[in-house]
Amino acid sequence: AIDDQPSCSQRSRIKAIINRPPIVLEPMKVDDATLLWQYRHFLLKDSKALIPFMQSLQWSKAAERREAERLIKLWRPIPIEDALLLLSRLFSMSIALRRYAIQIIDGADDSTINKFLLQLVQAVRYDTEGELQQFLIKRCAKNWELTSNLYWYATVESELEAEAAKGPSTTDAKGNNTTATKGADYISSMSEDEKRAMQIYTRMRGTLLAELQGHYPLHHRRLLKQQQFLKSLLHMDSKTTKNCGRDRPKRIEFTKDIITHRKCGLDVLFPNTSGATQYAVAQYKEAQAGAFGFGGDNGEGGVARLTDVLGGLRMKMAGTGADPKASQSDRNIQPPPGDEEGTVSSSANASLAEGGGGSPNGDFPIDIVATLNDGCVMLPSHPTKAIDGITPDGTYVFKSAKMPVMLTFYETHPAVGRLLNQPQAEGAEGVARLQAAIVAAAAPAAGGIRSLVNRQPTPGDQSTNKEADSTSTAALTVPSSPRGNVPSTPSLPPLSLSVPRAPLKLMFKSGDDVRQDQLVIQFIELMDDLLKQNGLDLCLTPYRVLATSPMTGFVEVVPEVETFQTVQQTVGVSKYIQTHNPSPAQFSLAMDRFVKSCAGYCVITFLLGIGDRHLENLLITRD
């Protein structure tokens, strides 16, 4: 009965069943399954009981299946880690459970989904009706970082499918590989279901690209640039191997030389290594010089003009195709001369090329996508970091068997980086927020531009300012004019390009499988999160690893590190830490971080079974 309550002894048994590991080799005992079924209504208030209950059912029985699908709508919501388990092979027999799990995951924020995206992509292979694939594409397409990671995870699986389609590796009597010649016969012998199963991720990647091209073209363009970036690196590696073989010093010098003389294949990606920065400079100076009507007959109109144009540009960058001149204020404000069709005059182009402030008559380069997005590459391993150049400085080839290469890239100017990482909006949604954010995003690292939307209210303008107050995190308040009804001309601080171009070092591996490294780093990140949630910060430094195919990938290089071997052979660990942390307070904090991180990594690497931990494989940072 629905109101049945278990006895004290039965509650103890139920608790033991619920607390056992969710993935076990032996099936649940019949008595335990019967007990859970008997008190299933009692279990509805315990989210932890859902997984054991679903495991106890005989899904081949229609009555039990229907009851499970009815009860799941009444159950207390489960945490996301349990939802992941519902998407595994263990529950592939029920689409209702999978849709329930997707509903739970859809309630999580983007950062949480990103932590588990690698596993979610793997769970797509158990789809019944493409439910998880559709969800991931729709959800990830809205967020650039999720889009990039989803694409590369699916790409790796797609290439594995292509390899599997060739059939089992075989050799003839002479030792020659005959796999390729037998691939067609192998595929023709498959059933239609088997063929579809071998193209899951190939279709998923194609569907993702089609979705992006149709609704998020900026994201699509970025992926194409990433593909070209990887292709150029592979070409450079092949060229180096062809000319230098396994001579490591020669490989280093050759790589430096082709980078210096722009023969590495990456030059086409950075046609002007300072193009993105020059764009930010030009637009800042245009705003600073009052190219959009600042200080005219109506100062407030000038502000509206600038924010509307910037808002339109933001939407243009997002690939929505929205016309920047279609905003409300532009219906009342005539576009400046030369801008009737949204074109860039020759004077504006010349000014942009020289890093100048644009044409005094207000010509404005509308195609921010071509200037910003096409002038840089969003790194596959760091989707939120944009690079617009490469330097031969720091180029190094490691001693390991596959001889991976370390390359140094330049990140874009901070203003451009923040601009590129603004959330994308569809259509006209969020225009007011974008107008506020676009100006704030153009600010250099040290202060810079503040929002021009959040100005002092004038009569009848209170609602506009309330909205701006809630959306701008770096607002500039423009004081009222002496007349009290027209805001005075806003002033923008001088633009400084003194912010140095930040180098970013990456190790590129070709011919080496980094998928295991990628998984281990993900585990370390998850363990670090769990420890911090329980008040224990062990000062771990998980770096980024991304497999771009089964045999290529990127590994982030942690800056300013030394091997324990080098430190012990020179000054010793304690002296090394003291040298870089001279004051007693700094030294005490650094030693505390050293002890905690050593303890954390010792336990984690033991639990994960990571070997080969000698002194040349252990790195120490200056802090």
Side-chain angles (χ1 to χ4, degrees):
I2 294 178
D3 296 331
D4 281 355
Q5 298 291 315
S7 64
C8 290
S9 60
Q10 288 173 327
R11 291 186 186 213
S12 297
R13 279 184 59 196
I14 290 174
K15 185 177 180 180
I17 297 169
I18 292 174
N19 289 333
R20 75 174 190 163
I23 301 177
V24 292
L25 297 178
E26 68 276 4
M28 186 178 293
K29 296 179 181 177
V30 175
D31 291 346
D32 291 343
T34 302
L35 183 64
L36 295 183
W37 176 264
Q38 180 179 354
Y39 295 106
R40 58 191 181 277
H41 296 96
F42 171 78
L43 299 175
L44 291 176
K45 58 187 177 183
D46 187 352
S47 61
K48 293 182 178 179
L50 177 65
I51 297 294
F53 174 73
M54 296 299 171
Q55 287 178 317
S56 72
L57 299 179
Q58 297 184 47
W59 288 91
S60 58
K61 295 184 177 180
E64 293 192 18
R65 178 187 289 268
R66 286 195 300 270
E67 180 68 356
E69 294 174 355
R70 181 186 72 85
L71 291 175
I72 200 171
K73 300 174 184 177
L74 308 174
W75 220 286
R76 174 174 289 185
I78 60 175
I80 189 172
E81 54 267 26
D82 286 349
L84 288 172
L85 189 58
L86 288 179
L87 293 172
S88 70
R89 179 181 58 83
L90 297 174
F91 298 98
S92 58
M93 61 285 186
S94 172
I95 189 172
L97 284 182
R98 293 182 65 80
R99 286 176 174 161
Y100 172 75
I102 291 171
Q103 179 183 342
I104 295 294
I105 293 171
D106 193 28
D109 56 35
D110 288 342
S111 62
T112 301
I113 290 179
N114 198 31
K115 291 176 185 176
F116 300 104
L117 187 58
L118 185 62
Q119 282 69 38
L120 289 171
V121 171
Q122 293 297 318
V124 168
R125 67 181 77 250
Y126 306 118
D127 268 357
T128 304
E129 298 176 1
E131 58 279 353
L132 182 56
Q133 174 182 308
Q134 294 170 16
F135 162 73
L136 289 178
I137 290 174
K138 292 292 184 183
R139 178 66 186 268
C140 292
K142 301 175 184 178
N143 179 292
W144 162 244
E145 186 173 8
L146 290 177
T147 296
S148 179
N149 288 334
L150 177 63
Y151 173 79
W152 290 110
Y153 295 161
T155 294
V156 172
E157 297 302 318
S158 176
E159 294 199 13
L160 289 171
E161 288 176 340
E163 287 295 318
K166 295 178 182 179
S169 180
T170 57
T171 56
D172 58 21
K174 297 181 179 180
N176 298 318
N177 193 319
T178 59
T179 301
T181 59
K182 294 187 177 182
D185 294 337
Y186 179 71
I187 294 176
S188 62
S189 66
M190 293 181 177
S191 66
E192 289 302 315
D193 289 341
E194 289 174 327
K195 290 178 182 178
R196 281 194 296 270
M198 294 188 69
Q199 297 176 352
I200 292 174
Y201 294 101
T202 302
R203 291 197 306 271
M204 180 179 182
R205 186 172 64 169
T207 305
L208 172 63
L209 291 173
E211 171 73 12
L212 296 176
Q213 192 168 17
H215 298 91
Y216 302 90
L218 171 63
H219 293 177
H220 186 263
R221 291 167 72 96
R222 287 178 174 178
L223 286 180
L224 295 181
K225 288 294 290 284
Q226 287 186 346
Q227 291 175 353
Q228 194 175 4
F229 177 67
L230 179 61
K231 184 177 180 180
S232 297
L233 290 177
L234 288 169
H235 173 73
M236 183 174 68
D237 180 75
S238 175
K239 192 174 182 179
T240 303
T241 301
K242 180 179 179 180
N243 285 272
C244 308
R246 295 191 57 80
D247 187 330
R248 197 170 66 86
K250 189 176 179 181
R251 290 177 73 98
I252 295 174
E253 291 305 315
F254 181 82
T255 303
K256 286 183 177 180
D257 183 69
I258 61 176
I259 291 174
T260 301
H261 294 91
R262 297 174 66 85
K263 296 179 180 179
C264 60
L266 294 171
D267 52 300
V268 296
L269 299 175
F270 312 123
N272 178 1
T273 57
S274 60
T277 297
Q278 296 289 2
Y279 181 85
V281 175
Q283 300 327 308
Y284 191 99
K285 288 185 176 179
E286 285 204 35
Q288 190 180 30
F292 299 102
F294 284 107
D297 294 336
N298 186 340
E300 183 181 358
V303 172
R305 170 64 186 166
L306 176 63
T307 54
D308 279 345
V309 171
L310 288 173
L313 281 171
R314 174 66 190 88
M315 296 174 67
K316 191 82 171 179
M317 186 183 74
T320 62
D323 185 352
K325 295 183 289 302
S327 54
Q328 182 64 42
S329 297
D330 272 352
R331 297 188 184 120
N332 303 319
I333 301 175
Q334 293 299 317
D339 193 37
E340 287 79 2
E341 299 300 325
T343 58
V344 185
S345 69
S346 58
S347 60
N349 273 325
S351 176
L352 178 60
E354 297 170 3
S359 172
N361 69 357
D363 291 336
F364 200 82
I366 292 299
D367 196 357
I368 193 172
V369 175
T371 309
L372 278 181
N373 193 65
D374 293 351
C376 60
V377 175
M378 308 298 283
L379 283 173
S381 56
H382 300 71
T384 60
K385 290 184 181 292
I387 58 171
D388 62 5
I390 184 172
T391 173
D393 299 338
T395 301
Y396 185 78
V397 175
F398 292 89
K399 298 177 183 178
S400 56
K402 300 299 181 180
M403 306 186 79
V405 60
M406 179 173 70
L407 300 170
T408 304
F409 301 95
Y410 283 129
E411 289 190 56
T412 58
H413 189 278
V416 178
R418 286 193 294 275
L419 191 61
L420 289 170
N421 282 301
Q422 288 295 313
Q424 182 174 347
E426 288 188 270
E429 182 183 355
V431 170
R433 291 193 298 273
L434 293 176
Q435 289 176 341
I438 191 72
V439 187
I449 300 177
R450 299 298 188 231
S451 173
L452 301 177
V453 176
N454 189 20
R455 55 194 182 276
Q456 284 285 355
T458 57
D461 193 35
Q462 285 81 359
S463 60
T464 302
N465 285 282
K466 286 181 181 178
E467 184 174 9
D469 283 337
S470 65
T471 58
S472 175
T473 59
L476 169 67
T477 299
V478 181
S480 298
S481 67
R483 291 184 295 171
N485 59 353
V486 178
S488 60
T489 303
S491 60
L492 301 180
L495 178 63
S496 172
L497 288 182
S498 60
V499 180
R501 300 182 76 194
L504 190 149
K505 296 180 182 292
L506 281 181
M507 182 194 304
F508 176 63
K509 288 191 169 187
S510 178
D512 203 357
D513 189 352
V514 302
R515 287 177 296 161
Q516 188 176 41
D517 306 65
Q518 179 176 268
L519 185 61
V520 167
I521 292 296
Q522 185 201 25
F523 284 167
I524 293 176
E525 289 176 338
L526 292 174
M527 290 180 181
D528 192 28
D529 287 343
L530 289 172
L531 290 169
K532 287 177 179 176
Q533 289 173 17
N534 288 274
L536 187 58
D537 184 0
L538 294 180
C539 305
L540 305 180
T541 312
Y543 47 86
R544 288 284 298 168
V545 178
L546 177 74
T548 53
S549 78
M551 296 303 287
T552 60
F554 296 98
V555 178
E556 179 184 5
V557 177
V558 181
E560 298 183 335
V561 294
E562 297 285 350
T563 66
F564 266 81
Q565 177 104 335
T566 301
V567 171
Q568 285 199 336
Q569 289 177 350
T570 53
V571 295
V573 174
S574 180
K575 184 66 175 176
Y576 175 84
I577 294 176
Q578 191 170 33
T579 300
H580 297 290
N581 302 270
S583 73
Q586 289 176 327
F587 179 71
S588 177
L589 289 173
M591 286 300 294
D592 182 62
R593 287 192 291 267
F594 173 71
V595 171
K596 286 180 177 178
S597 61
C598 279
Y601 279 119
C602 283
V603 173
I604 288 174
T605 53
F606 172 76
L607 292 175
L608 296 177
I610 299 173
D612 195 29
R613 298 298 92 192
H614 51 76
L615 294 183
E616 286 189 337
N617 265 345
L618 301 177
L619 302 176
I620 180 171
T621 61
R622 294 179 178 180
D623 61 349

